[in-house]
Amino acid sequence: MTVPAGGLTLSCDFTIEDDGQPDPVDPDAVQHAVEDLPDEILVFLLGSRCCETDRLSETAWSLFGHVPSGWVRVQAIVQFTHDHIEFGYHHARATKTAWDAHQEQQGVCRDFAHLAITLCRCMNIPARYLHRLSRRYRHSPVDAPMDFSAWFDVYLGGRWHTF
């Protein structure tokens, strides 16, 4: 899209309905062997600018190589990430990567997501980044400022699961 001089105004109006229930938990969801993954899922094993699998692979295997594969391993990665990073908006920066968040042990939701995604990918668990615009807190006033929120999905048992 080319924006003409003077700017452009875009708008949207919609309602999202949610039943408020937690995301489903499937402790029996299995981890697929890489060779058994659908071709379109393989890209979610690759490293990226924010997910340096090459720098965190040895760490991931030393921390989670002994943990049973599948859901249990992802839960262990989520718990490690939760315990390892101190949350704070003042820790945010646009250039922070999973490696930086791991080393600095500080970040915001996207840094938690990037570290967990990277650790999953290092363990051959396909993982993808997700984000949305949302209220900062569940019970924020309707007119409260919006902010981005990040989380991730993993591919286990033939489908994507939210973490």
Side-chain angles (χ1 to χ4, degrees):
M1 171 170 37
T2 303
V3 177
L8 175 70
T9 300
L10 301 174
S11 67
C12 183
D13 184 22
F14 58 90
T15 301
I16 297 174
E17 293 187 25
D18 181 6
D19 64 11
Q21 297 301 308
D23 292 316
V25 173
D26 186 0
D28 297 323
V30 297
Q31 180 175 337
H32 301 278
V34 173
E35 61 271 17
D36 295 334
L37 290 168
D39 290 344
E40 65 273 12
I41 302 297
L42 293 174
V43 69
F44 299 105
L45 291 174
L46 301 176
S48 68
R49 186 189 75 75
C50 290
C51 298
E52 310 102 309
T53 53
D54 57 331
R55 297 184 87 177
L56 284 162
S57 185
E58 188 175 320
T59 299
W61 280 97
S62 69
L63 291 170
F64 309 110
H66 68 283
V67 177
S69 67
W71 192 273
V72 173
R73 184 174 282 167
V74 176
Q75 277 299 143
I77 289 169
V78 169
Q79 189 63 53
F80 169 82
T81 302
H82 174 78
D83 294 342
H84 190 74
I85 299 178
E86 172 193 338
F87 181 88
Y89 289 110
H90 58 287
H91 301 308
R93 70 175 185 275
T95 59
K96 188 177 280 190
T97 67
W99 173 256
D100 296 331
H102 180 263
Q103 294 300 108
E104 296 167 17
Q105 299 182 345
Q106 300 171 328
V108 293
C109 58
R110 72 173 168 258
D111 304 313
F112 283 75
H114 282 140
L115 179 56
I117 289 165
T118 303
L119 295 171
C120 284
R121 290 178 179 185
C122 288
M123 302 303 298
N124 296 319
I125 302 167
R128 64 185 181 188
Y129 178 88
L130 299 154
H131 70 273
R132 69 177 174 160
L133 193 60
S134 63
R135 303 264 176 241
R136 281 191 187 215
Y137 304 103
R138 182 180 185 122
H139 301 290
S140 295
V142 173
D143 60 348
M146 301 287 276
D147 194 5
F148 282 96
S149 181
W151 66 97
F152 73 106
D153 281 350
V154 297
Y155 189 83
L156 295 172
R159 70 181 194 87
W160 290 103
H161 300 271
T162 299
F163 282 83

